[in-house]
Amino acid sequence: EAEDTMTALTRFKSGAMGVIEATTAARPEDFEAVIQNSLKSYFTTSKYACILFRQQRYGSIVNLTSDAGLGEIGMSNYSAATEGIVGMTRTIARDMGRYGVTCNAVSPVAKTRLFPGSVDSYRTSGIYPTPDDRAGLGLKEPGIGWSDDNSPEDPANVAPLVAYLACEGSPNANGYVFGVRGGDIYLY
């Protein structure tokens, strides 16, 4: 049974206030912890990889990021860190491309022990935009379906793209952010 517009709007405002309170209640230490464990770890490993790759005039860096940077409710610190990874990926690609080094990012959505369900199953109502809406993805073409034995949200479906980007077979892919969701691969 559909709820009326006023009830939905009231619930949205209550949820939005909860998000504002969650964001404003976050301590600077909480923000720093996420940046330290997420963004800085990518910076540190990339820095030393770039030194070696520049010397050998070849190398591939593949960073993993998240759709949270598109705007995730109550996660401003994690959203900032994931967009920082995207910006760093593109900057490294520009800086190191002249040395034959590529740097790309992959933003996967997959079922894991940490994240056992789809994003939409965790939404409290239908009024929040879906990840596809936020990413600006259109509808799938009719008739295209998943035909593999495992689930389209299986993490094993992400690995082939990461392996391809890390090998010599993808020299022209540099500075891109690839999304992988439900068997589809797309560019941001």
Side-chain angles (χ1 to χ4, degrees):
E1 185 175 307
E3 62 186 0
D4 65 10
T5 306
M6 189 54 84
T7 305
L9 185 58
T10 303
R11 192 161 36 93
F12 175 76
K13 285 182 177 178
S14 298
M17 287 308 295
V19 170
I20 291 169
E21 289 169 9
T23 301
T24 58
R27 299 172 301 160
E29 300 85 42
D30 299 333
F31 187 84
E32 284 295 321
V34 172
I35 297 297
Q36 184 79 11
N37 290 317
S38 214
L39 183 57
K40 189 171 181 188
S41 63
Y42 282 89
F43 166 76
T44 304
T45 54
S46 295
K47 175 185 175 180
Y48 293 106
C50 285
I51 292 169
L52 175 66
F53 292 164
R54 182 178 174 181
Q55 291 170 353
Q56 67 188 23
R57 299 281 198 196
Y58 171 76
S60 298
I61 298 171
V62 181
N63 294 321
L64 294 177
T65 188
S66 168
D67 285 353
L70 298 172
E72 197 63 42
I73 296 172
M75 297 175 62
S76 58
N77 52 0
Y78 185 64
S79 297
T82 59
E83 279 302 292
I85 293 167
V86 170
M88 188 173 60
T89 296
R90 291 179 173 150
T91 301
I92 291 171
R94 294 184 79 148
D95 291 345
M96 297 299 293
R98 70 186 94 162
Y99 302 108
V101 178
T102 61
C103 186
N104 294 288
V106 175
S107 177
V109 173
K111 288 184 180 180
T112 63
R113 288 176 298 192
L114 180 64
F115 188 71
S118 68
V119 174
D120 294 327
S121 68
Y122 289 100
R123 302 219 181 265
T124 56
S125 70
I127 58 176
Y128 298 111
T130 68
D132 288 344
D133 293 339
R134 289 196 322 261
L137 300 175
L139 299 173
K140 286 185 179 182
E141 294 180 30
I144 297 176
W146 185 256
S147 63
D148 200 336
D149 292 337
N150 58 354
S151 165
E153 294 182 347
D154 190 328
N157 297 326
V158 177
L161 175 62
V162 173
Y164 173 74
L165 292 172
C167 74
E168 292 182 37
S170 63
N172 294 325
N174 192 23
Y176 292 106
V177 179
F178 294 90
V180 181
R181 180 183 298 124
D184 294 330
I185 298 173
Y186 48 91
L187 284 174
Y188 280 102

